[in-house]
Amino acid sequence: MRTTEIAIIGGGPAGLRAAISAASMGAKVTIIERNENLGGQLVKQTHMFFGSQKQYASTRGIDIAEILLKDLDKYKDRIEIMTNATVLSIFEDGVISIEQDDKYLKIKPQSVIVTTGASEKFLAFPNNDLPGIYGAGAVQTLMNVHGVAPGRSVVMVGAGNIGLIVSYQLMQAGIEVKAILDASPRIGGYLVHASKIRRMGIPILTSHTVKYAHGTDKLQKVTICQLDEKFQQIPGTERDIETDVLCISVGLSPLTELLWQAGCNMKYIPELGGHVPVRDKDLQTSIKGVYVAGDVAGVEEASSAMVEGRLAGLCAAKALGHATADFEELHNDCIEQLNSLRSGHVGEKIRKGLEQVAM
Amino acid sequence: MNKTASVVIIGGGISGASIAYNLAKKGVKDIIVVEKKFLTSGSTGRCGAGIRMQWGTEMNCRLSKFSTEFYETANEVLEYEGDIEFKQGGYLIVAATEKEDEQFKKNVALQNSLGIPTVYLTPKEAKKIIPHMDETKIISATFCQKDGHLNPFHTTQAFANAAERLGVKFMKYTEVTGIKVENGKVVGVQTDKGFISTPVVVNAAGGYSKQIGEMAGVDIPVYAERHQILVTEPVNQMQDPMYMGFALNVYIQQTPHGSFIMGRSGENEPRDLRITSSWDFTEKMAKDACTLLPMLKDLRVVRQWAGLYTMSPDRQPIYSKAGNVEGFYMSTGFSGHGFMLGPVTGVVMSEMILGEKPSLPIEKLGLDRFEKGELLFEPSVV
Amino acid sequence: MRIKEHPILSFSKGRKVQFTFDGKAYEGYEGEPIAAALHAAGVMVLGHSHDKQRPRGFYCAIGNCSSCLMVVNNEPNVRTCTEPLKEGMVVETQKGKGDLR
Amino acid sequence: MLEKTGVATEQDLARVTPSKERRAKGPVAVIECFQRIPCNPCQTACKTGAIKEFKDINDTPEIDHDACTGCGLCVSSCPGLSIVVVDETYSEEEALVKIPYEFLPLPEAGSFVTGLDREGKPVCRAKVVKVLNTKSMDRTPVVSLAVPKDMSMTVRFIKLNDYFSDNTIVCRCEELTMGELRELIRKGYNTVDEIKRISRAGMGPCQGRTCRQLIMQEIAAATGTKMADLTVSTYRPPVKPVKLGTIAGGEHGE
């Protein structure tokens, strides 16, 4: 059977950063990525990132992916990259099975860093399965990766960061955004993103939700309505908006299937998006040798995912005996960066969530 | 909260539900079924859910014939509002060795003598029944159209609903922690939700029945063994019967829903209560399926899972009362065939508990057969 | 509809290839997902659900959900939101749960 | 008021509503006809004599609720569509309301629709139990609706669009609707695993990715349980559907 020291499942921002740091310590690493290209969701992000310089602030996501790939290249003798490769299972004995280009293979790593990210949450309303109703991530992929417009006009559900950003990207691609709805009475995403949208004349309707989708073969219009403070629909506030695309962006939930399979101790933490693994300060889960980083450990920004990846990479390598003199320094730097990214008002929710999963 | 019952049945699988239904139908009041999780959460809900009358011992033939005939009208008899999805697409059992071929000839004669309409087929004839099989992999086959497949969840639910209408209480999410025996007699069952006073306890706990026996001080010579199984995406109907081979160690069937369910026995499966997944199973199963039914190579696996077989020394059920503890009964050791025997289990166990004359000669299936060395070895099992 | 110009992105496309969808000829770019090529050609309905016959378009675009299953080159249950387009592909609407051929 | 709005007032209704005791006994016709017009087919249709003979064809119908068997023959005979049959003995929690419905498409038996009150306001979810459309009904089919018991004197029409979203698809692969899911939860299947086993939701090609979270939300809402306290169904290999042939042709063994 194939072996490696550290298998990294997922080649997004967290996974790439984990690979770079583990390899820089001297570990032999295998990145397993289900897509054709590395970079994960970064390849769809046309906007500039927040954070500080250490997390590539003010650089566009698509360009951060390029930077990470260049860093990766420095350690190419120690990093094996598998693309088009989906991890199917982590078995009872730690063996990982993989499908790559219609081939089935297995690998037995000494440690594994799971950086599988998150998937979009769904929303239930009548006719929610009509063609024309898409996840925000799907719309992003379609237009930013494949250059295909999802339709003529869009109503966005969700005024969190993703909803706001994808709305902006839709306008960039020449597609009309008719309105952004959010069930909550307050805009969830960063207000600068919101201002950007408002400036273009797109209404953001807080305390609103989609009540009904209409269409025979595909979406033709949606009925929206207002919500009261208990999130109950207020009768008589319904109105119709004609649109051929409804985009759903109501949050992400960590993609934790593999962690469950591996037997990790999981906890339901709404602040972090759903079930997440309990972990120690080195990002090791309750199963020895299984580390996590990025959205799979709790939904946050790509900036913190990258720092977490770096931290997990360092610790996993150290645990396998690859110690460098500056380990403590690097370790502390990661912790400090994470603390600063999570400080302040916006990070409050994350901090509250993380307190509950610390081991 | 403390309770009193006339009978406590431990285990909410097909056996427990069927025994409860049959006892209640005979007029027994105050029956409680205690289930650690939810109905079918154990082996019943994890099984392949096939039913066949093609066996190598008279006992198994008769037990399964009784059950098959019951299942034919179970929706109506149990007045179930859903559908137990009984599909009688038959079992095509293939022989891959000369020895197996010889055994099959004997089996067919035995089965026919008991009124089971099995036929013996050449590979060519078998291929007519499952056109996508590679007939060069087999020597002969036997086929019984009356064999089939059911939905285990709905089937158990059908028994349970009927039992509930007759007054049976099901305590879900209730774990048995002890069985109280005084002066050689059962007096009650301790659970995490309180004590239940009862003079009769029925052990229908499947993989956990050895542990339940120990709680009453009864030694049952069974062990739990992990068996694995997988299911594919659904496709339009293409295979009516179950494809099964003993030497080939495989069973593959298409459910009415369209998905294929297939399983095999592992060489080194753990003999404890573990139900984790192994890659060894996935690979061997996929290989077997593609070799024997080559067309399935494009079928996608959606999920693999595992459940427990409760193995008895001769791979036949144990329908028995305990020799040393009065009021303690057991229905266990089905060795992978407990689901299909559900209907007969309920009938014979209720008769045993009520001291009635058994409908079938099950006295040979008692616990004492192991002490006496009177084992009834079943040759035809996966 | 294809996005012709974009302020941030430039789309590097594979070569143009021909394929058929339910017998009709279509054009797309090699390597892009089949569903993207169909979408670009205005085809939003990729099939109908097997029981309630509800129209289905693609939904997640990353091979997670089951919305985009189609028959491709005789193979049923292909996730067209991720399956790369190739020259001469025969793409068909799936009837029911699909037939193994 | 009725003249202005077309909606019967409480006083109007008080005159025609069968007593609580009568309603508790079984099906009974409710004739909401308040204006004197020349019309009597209801009386002609009535085979039990419960609808008393009209002295003047302009009389508003008078019905002896105790003599009425709730047969419903009058329902589709009323040109004004003002008669319904109410059966509060239908089940422990539900009443049956039979209404005339002259629209296409007809609702399907077994489906869920929105129950509307006399002002056309959605008031509850209703299950279509039966759609009767015989030749003698002459294109006025009668739809039997199961509604919450306290809605028996409120629901008078339906909208096929289900505002209460019971027709909403929860599981795409197996096409489980919200209504079916709620029904299962009501029957006591209140863990994801039980729902999965009895309905197959989550066993399809998407492996539960679209439905698992929605099912958990609905269980939490319906049972008043916190999401964190719900039992999670087990996760099993493989993460992505993979062909048997791919596995069979792969790297095997240790």
Side-chain angles (χ1 to χ4, degrees):
Chain A
M1 200 182 303
R2 293 159 189 248
T3 57
T4 188
E5 280 193 303
I6 302 175
I8 296 178
I9 306 177
L16 294 182
R17 226 40 207 93
I20 293 162
S21 76
S24 74
M25 303 265 294
K28 184 177 174 288
V29 176
T30 304
I31 302 174
I32 311 162
E33 164 59 43
R34 74 169 170 184
N35 282 315
E36 195 182 346
N37 302 306
L38 294 175
Q41 304 308 306
L42 287 173
V43 302
K44 306 180 193 172
Q45 313 301 341
T46 52
H47 64 287
M48 291 180 276
F49 274 41
F50 294 97
S52 76
Q53 212 176 359
K54 278 186 176 166
Q55 301 100 32
Y56 314 101
S58 145
T59 308
R60 293 182 192 282
I62 41 174
D63 300 328
I64 295 174
E66 294 298 322
I67 295 170
L68 292 177
L69 292 182
K70 265 186 210 137
D71 281 353
L72 205 64
D73 206 43
K74 289 185 205 154
Y75 306 102
K76 62 177 175 222
D77 52 331
R78 279 201 288 277
I79 300 179
E80 180 192 11
I81 297 170
M82 299 172 70
T83 55
N84 281 331
T86 307
V87 171
L88 302 170
S89 338
I90 298 182
F91 286 104
E92 50 192 355
D93 50 3
V95 169
I96 292 173
S97 71
I98 299 165
E99 186 211 34
Q100 184 179 32
D101 294 323
D102 254 357
K103 286 195 181 61
Y104 170 85
L105 24 111
K106 292 198 302 289
I107 187 164
K108 175 131 202 193
Q110 292 175 43
S111 293
V112 53
I113 304 177
V114 179
T115 64
T116 43
S119 71
E120 297 190 272
K121 285 186 182 164
F122 297 85
L123 194 62
F125 54 88
N127 286 332
N128 65 351
D129 59 340
L130 274 179
I133 301 176
Y134 305 138
V139 163
Q140 252 189 336
T141 306
L142 193 62
M143 67 178 180
N144 291 352
V145 180
H146 305 303
V148 173
R152 271 176 223 95
S153 63
V154 173
V155 170
M156 175 70 65
V157 185
N161 272 334
I162 295 179
L164 296 171
I165 288 167
V166 174
S167 296
Y168 185 75
Q169 292 175 352
L170 281 159
M171 296 295 284
Q172 285 181 310
I175 299 150
E176 184 194 1
V177 177
K178 294 207 160 173
I180 302 176
L181 318 178
D182 201 302
S184 139
R186 291 212 314 252
I187 292 169
Y190 291 163
L191 292 176
V192 284
H193 281 320
S195 305
K196 228 158 59 175
I197 301 286
R198 293 291 293 121
R199 238 177 265 152
M200 292 185 287
I202 301 168
I204 299 176
L205 307 172
T206 50
S207 294
H208 271 76
T209 193
V210 52
K211 176 165 183 170
Y212 208 94
H214 308 262
T216 43
D217 228 16
K218 52 191 178 190
L219 184 69
Q220 280 151 353
K221 66 175 179 185
V222 294
T223 301
I224 66 166
C225 75
Q226 223 172 311
L227 300 174
D228 64 18
E229 63 281 0
K230 284 180 186 142
F231 294 93
Q232 300 302 306
Q233 303 188 351
I234 305 175
T237 60
E238 295 84 1
R239 66 186 166 105
D240 290 349
I241 305 178
E242 279 188 28
T243 183
D244 60 345
V245 177
L246 183 74
C247 197
I248 310 289
S249 166
V250 292
L252 300 173
S253 50
L255 261 176
T256 52
E257 285 115 317
L258 291 170
L259 297 172
W260 287 99
Q261 283 184 21
C264 297
N265 187 356
M266 307 292 286
K267 249 184 166 174
Y268 184 81
I269 309 289
E271 290 89 348
L272 299 178
H275 282 98
V276 290
V278 171
R279 80 298 298 263
D280 65 12
K281 65 173 182 15
D282 290 348
L283 294 176
Q284 186 168 215
T285 66
S286 59
I287 303 290
K288 195 170 175 286
V290 177
Y291 295 78
V292 285
D295 278 356
V296 71
V299 174
E300 277 188 82
E301 295 294 310
S303 0
S304 30
M306 285 187 279
V307 184
E308 280 196 340
R310 180 160 170 246
L311 177 60
L314 287 172
C315 297
K318 166 107 187 313
L320 295 178
H322 299 284
T324 56
D326 56 354
F327 174 79
E328 282 305 323
E329 199 183 313
L330 296 172
H331 190 272
N332 288 341
D333 182 46
C334 290
I335 303 280
E336 273 166 33
Q337 281 191 51
L338 284 171
N339 286 343
S340 91
L341 283 170
R342 289 164 181 162
S343 65
H345 179 65
V346 183
E348 196 184 316
K349 207 173 76 169
I350 302 294
R351 294 199 301 273
K352 215 176 119 199
L354 289 172
E355 275 167 25
Q356 301 170 64
V357 286
M359 203 155 67
Chain B
M1 213 174 50
N2 294 350
K3 288 187 165 66
T4 305
S6 62
V7 179
V8 171
I9 298 166
I10 302 171
I14 188 78
S15 298
S18 174
I19 295 167
Y21 164 74
N22 278 285
L23 280 171
K25 206 175 67 171
K26 288 175 187 288
V28 179
K29 306 274 175 243
D30 304 318
I31 301 168
I32 295 178
V33 179
V34 183
E35 164 56 48
K36 190 162 82 156
K37 283 179 81 187
F38 54 88
L39 299 186
T40 76
S41 59
S43 297
T44 297
R46 300 172 181 279
C47 78
I51 175 160
R52 61 170 157 123
M53 296 187 282
Q54 300 184 64
W55 293 92
T57 61
E58 181 179 340
M59 180 63 81
N60 272 336
C61 286
R62 293 183 67 172
L63 293 174
S64 63
K65 183 163 183 278
F66 186 100
S67 288
T68 307
E69 284 163 4
F70 176 85
Y71 279 140
E72 283 173 345
T73 56
N75 270 327
E76 293 75 25
V77 171
L78 299 174
E79 294 176 45
Y80 186 47
E81 58 172 15
D83 182 3
I84 64 168
E85 297 172 17
F86 188 27
K87 163 185 159 184
Q88 281 178 295
Y91 263 50
L92 185 82
I93 303 186
V94 299
T97 64
E98 294 296 340
K99 194 177 148 212
E100 206 170 25
D101 181 50
E102 282 311 305
Q103 177 68 44
F104 280 14
K105 284 176 187 154
K106 282 186 221 153
N107 287 2
V108 171
L110 169 71
Q111 290 156 14
N112 290 348
S113 77
L114 295 167
I116 298 166
T118 313
V119 287
Y120 177 88
L121 303 173
T122 63
K124 227 175 164 180
E125 290 166 331
K127 195 176 169 66
K128 279 195 190 132
I129 295 175
I130 301 183
H132 54 275
M133 73 187 275
D134 180 351
E135 75 282 13
T136 64
K137 299 285 188 292
I138 66 169
I139 294 173
S140 67
T142 65
F143 179 69
C144 172
Q145 183 70 60
K146 295 245 167 190
D147 295 345
H149 177 263
L150 298 101
N151 179 316
F153 319 118
H154 284 285
T155 305
T156 307
Q157 204 62 57
F159 274 112
N161 289 358
E164 267 181 328
R165 285 194 299 270
L166 293 167
V168 174
K169 295 250 168 342
F170 285 83
M171 291 174 66
K172 294 197 287 179
Y173 295 98
T174 305
E175 187 170 352
V176 171
T177 54
I179 293 168
K180 201 168 173 197
V181 178
E182 276 173 9
N183 305 322
K185 283 184 186 168
V186 165
V187 294
V189 174
Q190 184 65 48
T191 77
D192 58 357
K193 303 263 168 72
F195 185 77
I196 310 170
S197 305
T198 182
V200 178
V201 167
V202 185
N203 178 1
Y208 293 82
S209 50
K210 185 168 184 72
Q211 284 79 350
I212 294 292
E214 280 164 5
M215 289 179 190
V218 178
D219 180 36
I220 310 174
V222 293
Y223 60 86
E225 183 178 272
R226 182 178 77 178
H227 278 245
Q228 301 190 68
I229 184 165
L230 63 81
V231 64
T232 71
E233 290 184 319
V235 287
N236 292 335
Q237 284 300 323
M238 59 183 285
Q239 178 179 323
D240 269 342
M242 163 79 96
Y243 177 98
M244 179 179 241
F246 306 121
L248 291 173
N249 179 21
V250 68
Y251 64 89
I252 302 173
Q253 69 186 326
Q254 187 176 23
T255 67
H257 166 258
S259 50
F260 276 75
I261 286 182
M262 54 188 81
R264 68 190 299 285
S265 295
E267 286 72 22
N268 297 304
E269 291 289 355
R271 291 184 176 186
D272 50 31
L273 298 167
R274 247 183 299 167
I275 46 170
T276 47
S277 302
S278 81
W279 47 267
D280 186 59
F281 164 75
T282 326
E283 294 170 6
K284 288 185 174 143
M285 189 70 244
K287 256 192 167 163
D288 289 348
C290 295
T291 312
L292 301 169
L293 306 174
M295 213 174 177
L296 303 192
K297 68 181 191 317
D298 287 333
L299 206 53
R300 292 175 186 79
V301 181
V302 169
R303 183 180 171 89
Q304 72 181 82
W305 72 94
L308 301 172
Y309 276 24
T310 311
M311 305 300 291
S312 72
D314 58 0
R315 298 178 169 190
Q316 296 243 47
I318 302 171
Y319 293 130
S320 190
K321 52 178 89 175
N324 55 340
V325 179
E326 199 183 322
F328 189 82
Y329 296 83
M330 70 205 76
S331 154
T332 181
F334 291 100
S335 312
H337 312 113
F339 174 71
M340 65 174 82
L341 297 183
V344 74
T345 295
V347 171
V348 298
M349 287 305 292
S350 62
E351 288 165 347
M352 183 189 299
I353 292 161
L354 297 175
E356 295 172 359
K357 187 178 172 294
S359 305
L360 286 159
I362 51 137
E363 54 279 4
K364 286 179 184 157
L365 294 176
L367 195 54
D368 51 0
R369 73 179 187 267
F370 305 110
E371 289 154 32
K372 296 184 199 151
E374 291 169 359
L375 273 58
L376 304 155
F377 188 74
E378 170 59 58
S380 299
V381 286
V382 169
Chain C
M1 292 150 289
R2 302 225 175 241
I3 298 166
K4 300 213 171 59
E5 40 176 23
H6 196 282
I8 312 288
L9 297 164
S10 56
F11 302 106
S12 54
K13 291 276 162 204
R15 67 180 176 106
K16 267 201 175 155
V17 292
Q18 311 288 320
F19 69 102
T20 66
F21 165 59
D22 282 347
K24 272 172 69 186
Y26 284 84
E27 216 173 52
Y29 293 101
E30 188 170 52
E32 70 180 349
I34 296 167
L38 285 170
H39 216 285
V43 178
M44 282 169 93
V45 182
L46 305 178
H48 286 81
S49 63
H50 47 75
D51 184 14
K52 300 194 167 80
Q53 294 301 314
R54 298 177 67 85
R56 287 289 158 84
F58 91 142
Y59 183 81
C60 74
I62 46 173
N64 270 356
C65 75
S66 63
S67 249
C68 65
L69 301 184
M70 298 179 85
V71 179
V72 177
N73 291 344
N74 271 332
E75 188 188 318
N77 295 322
V78 175
R79 284 156 204 252
T80 54
C81 75
T82 51
E83 188 67 26
L85 183 68
K86 291 191 188 99
E87 175 71 49
M89 265 182 168
V90 179
V91 181
E92 295 165 278
T93 308
Q94 184 162 311
K95 302 273 181 304
K97 293 166 182 172
D99 293 300
L100 287 185
R101 291 186 243 190
Chain D
M1 270 315 273
L2 175 60
E3 284 86 346
K4 271 197 172 172
T5 60
V7 180
T9 62
E10 276 181 31
Q11 291 95 306
D12 293 331
L13 292 172
R15 286 196 281 132
V16 301
T17 305
S19 68
K20 223 179 178 168
E21 294 72 38
R22 171 60 191 88
R23 281 184 277 143
K25 280 184 194 150
V28 62
V30 182
I31 308 183
E32 301 186 7
C33 174
F34 305 103
Q35 192 180 31
R36 286 175 58 84
I37 50 168
C39 178
N40 73 354
C42 56
Q43 196 268 320
T44 319
C46 184
K47 299 284 182 255
T48 61
I51 299 177
K52 291 177 197 156
E53 211 149 334
F54 285 29
K55 291 193 188 85
D56 177 340
I57 192 155
N58 286 295
D59 282 349
T60 51
E62 218 176 290
I63 177 169
D64 176 2
H65 287 134
D66 290 323
C68 173
T69 60
C71 71
L73 285 174
C74 54
V75 173
S76 58
S77 78
C78 173
L81 304 185
S82 69
I83 308 177
V84 298
V85 168
V86 171
D87 179 5
E88 296 190 357
T89 61
Y90 176 65
S91 78
E92 210 156 288
E93 278 139 19
E94 289 169 315
L96 203 68
V97 179
K98 296 183 181 179
I99 61 158
Y101 189 81
E102 296 180 323
F103 298 87
L104 285 177
L106 280 173
E108 267 179 57
S111 69
F112 288 87
V113 295
T114 304
L116 304 180
D117 68 4
R118 294 179 180 82
E119 292 177 72
K121 276 201 309 241
V123 285
C124 67
R125 156 171 97 96
K127 185 175 182 177
V128 178
V129 175
K130 197 155 122 191
V131 180
L132 206 58
N133 187 14
T134 63
K135 210 167 172 199
S136 69
M137 295 171 129
D138 190 24
R139 289 161 287 173
T140 303
V142 172
V143 176
S144 302
L145 305 163
V147 302
K149 202 159 264 186
D150 58 355
M151 284 288 145
S152 69
M153 289 305 293
T154 307
V155 172
R156 287 301 176 261
F157 200 56
I158 51 168
K159 203 162 194 163
L160 299 204
N161 292 346
D162 184 1
Y163 276 66
F164 293 86
S165 67
D166 273 324
N167 294 330
T168 300
I169 300 286
V170 176
C171 159
R172 286 169 186 245
C173 302
E174 298 299 336
E175 303 186 56
L176 180 79
T177 64
M178 190 63 97
E180 289 160 346
L181 171 62
R182 287 175 181 159
E183 185 69 16
L184 291 174
I185 297 172
R186 210 176 53 75
K187 282 186 184 160
Y189 301 104
N190 46 27
T191 58
V192 181
D193 255 326
E194 285 168 276
I195 301 276
K196 183 175 96 179
R197 291 189 182 190
I198 211 76
S199 73
R200 288 201 176 89
M203 289 188 183
C206 94
Q207 299 163 301
R209 285 202 183 82
T210 33
C211 58
R212 197 193 296 253
Q213 165 224 345
L214 294 179
I215 293 173
M216 284 181 70
Q217 280 171 1
E218 191 56 31
I219 293 172
T223 61
T225 319
K226 281 194 211 133
M227 286 281 276
D229 296 338
L230 292 180
T231 355
V232 186
S233 61
T234 41
Y235 289 80
R236 290 277 189 179
V239 164
K240 164 193 169 185
V242 58
K243 282 187 216 161
L244 283 165
T246 302
I247 299 172
E251 295 177 353
H252 288 186
E254 291 288 335

